[in-house]
Amino acid sequence: MTIVVYVEHQHGAPKRASAEALGAARSLSDQVVAVVAGEGADAAAAGLGGHGATRVVHLTGSHAFSPDAMAQDLAKIVGEHGAKGLFLSATSTGSDVAPRAAALLDSTLFSNCTAVNAAGDGFEITRPWLAGKLIAELSPKSSVLCATLRRNTFQAHSGGGNAEVSQVAATETGQATLARIEAKEEGKLDVSEAPVVVSGGRGLKEPEGFGVIEELAAAFGDAAVGASRAVVDAGWRPHGEQVGQTGKTVSPQLYIAVAISGAIQHLAGMKTSKVIVAINKDPEAPIFKVADYGIVGDAFEVLPVLTEEVRKIRAQG
Ligand SMILES: Cc1cc2nc3c(=O)[nH]c(=O)nc-3n(C[C@H](O)[C@H](O)[C@H](O)COP(=O)(O)OP(=O)(O)OC[C@H]3O[C@@H](n4cnc5c(N)ncnc54)[C@H](O)[C@@H]3O)c2cc1C
């Protein structure tokens, strides 16, 4: 059973979400075809065997990314390999390409899957419904399973390996092309990729209230700052930091929710985090229902103490 995986890459290596998609595919099949394209794809292609690919298709030619051209190429590669699955990460790029590819394959798209298992000669998938209120277990009937996989949910491949790389000319006739990417500030971690996320909400009262959040994130060293929609809508924080149903889905090792009430739409984006700490002055706040550890108190009193303790622990090595 062949599975094709679309691999997003950066600095000559697959992005973490794509490494996880490759790992998921490899855990199901020994025939995993990774597809890479764009600037730097040659360097990324060379290392994909180590991430679980057994074959790599490097799409050469245009470096301008086009979701519809990419969908055409993926559908073609799925057909040529007689693949049973097409996996993409549930990133903004993956979510842009996947429905187009599913339509070309006359298949249904299963988005944001949290588990994919083999069942007979097909698959069974698990995915959240209604902002995570329900978990659906589904048995797709289409001949090709087209799925986007939730980040931070699947294990990357750790078994090493080599893969033959073939070069194929990319389709150049996309209707939409990516004009430019604006890089984040140097050194800033993306909220969906950081192992620790410190998020703030409306209880911080004003944009300057995020100073305590930034200090705690900086004390960890490997933490990103997140935000609730209330503060993003208020213009206190950029949309790229929003966690939740209409923001990013995160699943870090540690999620610290500060002055966030825990509305269902916020929980939809963070409740699969490994350890959740909630800090809120209202003991009845719904966020405490999903928290592993809760501190009832004023964020402006609790956070400086917590930050100091984190600094001390890190200083001890
Ligand atoms: C279709 C739709 C999509 C949505 N998508 C999202 C989404 O993606 N992400 C998201 O976050 N929301 C989303 N929302 C909004 C969501 O419903 C909530 O309105 C929002 O999450 C509330 O943000 P908040 O917790 O920061 O603010 P509030 O609900 O106002 O909570 C503030 C909290 O801070 C606490 N507090 C106040 N002062 C302090 C203090 N000094 N110290 C400690 N605690 C304090 C309060 O007790 C309270 O619990 C969506 C809503 C809809 C309808």
Side-chain angles (χ1 to χ4, degrees):
M1 170 166 73
T2 300
I3 300 174
V4 172
V5 180
Y6 171 56
V7 175
E8 296 171 51
H9 58 92
Q10 199 174 26
H11 310 310
K15 289 188 176 176
R16 182 171 147 189
S18 289
E20 290 164 4
L22 278 170
R26 187 58 192 265
S27 71
L28 294 165
S29 169
D30 286 335
Q31 289 153 1
V32 175
V33 180
V35 180
V36 270
E39 209 168 338
D42 39 0
L48 290 177
H51 290 276
T54 52
R55 291 195 62 174
V56 178
V57 177
H58 172 192
L59 293 170
T60 58
S62 173
H63 281 168
F65 174 74
S66 162
D68 49 304
M70 179 53 69
Q72 288 179 50
D73 286 330
L74 288 173
K76 202 165 136 206
I77 293 165
V78 165
E80 283 169 359
H81 288 82
K84 286 276 184 193
L86 171 62
F87 292 179
L88 302 93
S89 314
T91 54
S92 41
T93 301
S95 305
D96 196 1
V97 174
R100 303 166 195 267
L104 292 169
L105 290 165
D106 198 18
S107 177
T108 306
L109 173 63
F110 293 87
S111 56
N112 213 14
C113 297
T114 52
V116 183
N117 294 306
D121 61 353
F123 301 92
E124 276 175 359
I125 64 110
T126 305
R127 61 176 299 253
W129 266 358
L130 300 172
K133 279 189 196 141
L134 295 177
I135 302 296
E137 288 177 6
L138 304 162
S139 302
K141 295 289 178 239
S142 45
S143 55
V144 179
L145 168 68
C146 195
T148 60
L149 309 191
R150 191 174 193 151
R151 302 164 182 226
N152 300 319
T153 305
F154 294 87
Q155 290 289 323
H157 174 74
S158 56
N162 293 303
E164 183 196 327
V165 180
S166 52
Q167 298 203 329
V168 174
T171 296
E172 302 269 357
T173 55
Q175 293 175 31
T177 49
L178 179 72
R180 66 173 193 283
I181 294 174
E182 287 181 12
K184 279 177 88 75
E185 250 175 68
E186 197 61 38
K188 270 201 162 184
L189 284 169
D190 190 282
V191 74
S192 55
E193 292 182 358
V196 178
V197 175
V198 187
S199 283
R202 185 152 47 194
L204 294 168
K205 298 189 176 49
E206 53 182 353
E208 291 69 32
F210 267 75
V212 286
I213 302 283
E214 280 172 349
E215 278 178 25
L216 179 54
F220 277 109
D222 54 357
V225 171
S228 70
R229 178 165 162 178
V231 302
V232 171
D233 284 354
W236 299 1
R237 303 299 297 184
H239 183 260
E241 292 180 2
Q242 185 182 318
V243 173
Q245 186 184 330
T246 44
K248 290 186 176 162
T249 301
V250 304
S251 199
Q253 294 299 321
L254 175 61
Y255 186 85
I256 306 181
V258 184
I260 291 177
S261 57
I264 182 81
Q265 297 89 356
H266 188 80
L267 302 186
M270 46 62 75
K271 73 177 179 194
T272 56
S273 304
K274 307 292 175 293
V275 176
I276 298 172
V277 176
I279 300 163
N280 198 301
K281 67 179 188 186
D282 174 7
E284 303 298 325
I287 191 76
F288 287 124
K289 293 203 177 97
V290 298
D292 299 289
Y293 300 94
I295 302 175
V296 178
D298 187 322
F300 297 105
E301 290 170 14
V302 175
L303 256 67
V305 178
L306 209 53
T307 303
E308 201 41 49
E309 289 305 314
V310 172
R311 280 192 193 127
K312 274 191 213 155
I313 292 166
R314 285 187 58 92
Q316 287 163 9

